Amino acid sequence: MKAIQIQSERKMGVVEIPQATMRADEVLLRLQYVGFCGSDLNTYLGKNPMVHLPVIPGHEVGAIIEAVGAEVPEGLKPGMTVTVNPYTNCGKCASCRNSRVNACKHNETLGVQRDGAMREYIALPWEKVIPAGLLTPRTCALIEPMSVGFHAVSRAQVTDIDVVMVIGCGMVGMGAVVRAAQRGATVVAADIDDDKLALARQMGASYTINTQKEDVHARLLEMTSGFGPDVVIEAVGSTQTYQMAVDEVAFTGRVICIGYAKTEISFETKFFVQKELDIRGSRNAQPSDFRAVIHYLERGTCPIDQLISREVTPEEAHQAMADWALNPGKVFRILVKF
């Protein structure tokens, strides 16, 4: 069967791999749409330390159930539209013991630590297959990245009295904007791209800041009566945005870290103490976050078409990735249609 494989730095192509086989406790999925995410771009550029090449990328899935094994519960049936929880959990580490399986010490994400879903068929344990109701497979490919943003809002314990600043309005950041707005918070979206900021307003942001054109500190003080945001969610992974999060969050505020920085970062650590900050990591998503995103998308208010920058065939995927590498700031999601 056909699959997309990243063979080495900046080299990607379509390969033939053996047809997927299914165990008794697995579900065979026929892939319809699979999204490229930032980690796939870093893998393509040779900048993802968690990946050993060659690898089949892809963990943002919209699929149809082709067949089910004999030990699969009756709730999963051929013909159903589904998405996938692409993470693994060992059941034995401290994270798993504390029921935070999304942060399993030994997690292997599809397309990162193990071959992913950019292929015609894949067999997965039934527990990782999530029914998506009446959503289309195309929409399903957006669920996983948005769920990561939803999870960050849960980690921040956002309520309706909070001002929440989201730094970075890619797909993950947009998920955080949506979820924080759903919880009644006042949301400030920050990015360097005006088009993304305009879309963030559509998705629930009350205010926007272009961090390249505006005085971020002055704008935040103006919006918050001089206090600063109660929560800052960092969804970029750069030195500047991490430092901005710590500098701008209010005293006794919460900083939530999603983005992976490529280098070590220096902080004014006095702020950690003086502000008595809560600094929390946020990794992947919980099953409840997937369900919450599906519930949101079922309402039909999400501007799906504006979040999908490009749809390509497997044969066109390499060119799409090369184009994305030249202009990464303008892309939300590239979907590969199988």
Side-chain angles (χ1 to χ4, degrees), residues 152 155-156 231-235 254-258 278 280-282:
R155 290 284 292 142
V231 174
V232 178
I233 297 175
E234 199 289 332
R254 289 98 75 195
V255 175
I256 310 301
C257 308
I258 308 176
D278 288 340
R280 307 175 185 177
S282 183

Side-chain angles (χ1 to χ4, degrees), residues 108-126:
E108 294 184 352
T109 299
L110 284 173
V112 185
Q113 293 93 344
R114 56 184 171 138
D115 279 334
M118 289 276 179
R119 58 179 88 184
E120 292 180 284
Y121 293 90
I122 191 170
L124 294 170
W126 69 265

Side-chain angles (χ1 to χ4, degrees), residues 88-303:
T88 64
N89 56 283
C90 69
K92 299 176 182 179
C93 70
S95 299
C96 291
R97 182 179 62 183
N98 292 325
S99 299
R100 289 165 65 175
V101 296
N102 57 292
C104 175
K105 181 178 180 180
H106 305 292
N107 168 65
E108 294 184 352
T109 299
L110 284 173
V112 185
Q113 293 93 344
R114 56 184 171 138
D115 279 334
M118 289 276 179
R119 58 179 88 184
E120 292 180 284
Y121 293 90
I122 191 170
L124 294 170
W126 69 265
E127 296 93 339
K128 298 299 181 182
V129 178
I130 303 172
L134 298 178
L135 296 181
T136 66
R138 179 173 179 262
T139 298
C140 286
L142 305 180
I143 293 172
E144 191 275 341
M146 292 195 77
S147 73
V148 177
F150 272 46
H151 182 66
V153 172
S154 294
R155 290 284 292 142
Q157 297 176 297
V158 169
T159 72
D160 59 352
I161 64 171
D162 288 321
V163 176
V164 178
M165 180 187 186
V166 179
I167 306 176
C169 294
M171 276 295 299
V172 171
M174 286 298 189
V177 167
V178 168
R179 193 56 164 165
Q182 284 184 334
R183 292 193 175 194
T186 300
V187 181
V188 182
D191 201 278
I192 62 174
D193 186 272
D194 287 330
D195 292 336
K196 288 185 176 180
L197 291 173
L199 186 54
R201 279 190 176 271
Q202 283 185 242
M203 299 182 74
S206 299
Y207 303 97
T208 57
I209 300 175
N210 186 313
T211 58
Q212 283 191 334
K213 300 177 181 178
E214 301 177 73
D215 185 328
V216 175
H217 183 68
R219 286 290 315 280
L220 287 172
L221 292 181
E222 175 189 342
M223 295 170 188
T224 62
S225 301
F227 292 106
D230 305 283
V231 174
V232 178
I233 297 175
E234 199 289 332
V236 177
S238 74
T239 298
Q240 294 82 0
T241 52
Y242 262 90
Q243 291 172 336
M244 181 189 297
V246 172
D247 291 348
E248 300 299 342
V249 71
F251 274 61
T252 68
R254 289 98 75 195
V255 175
I256 310 301
C257 308
I258 308 176
Y260 278 94
K262 309 299 185 297
T263 60
E264 293 184 0
I265 301 175
S266 298
F267 292 99
E268 287 284 356
T269 54
K270 67 179 182 180
F271 289 150
F272 298 1
V273 178
Q274 289 179 346
K275 293 185 176 183
E276 198 174 59
L277 298 181
D278 288 340
I279 300 178
R280 307 175 185 177
S282 183
R283 184 182 179 192
N284 299 332
Q286 290 269 24
S288 59
D289 300 308
F290 282 83
R291 294 195 301 271
V293 172
I294 291 170
H295 182 63
Y296 161 66
L297 292 172
E298 285 176 334
R299 297 176 185 174
T301 58
C302 181

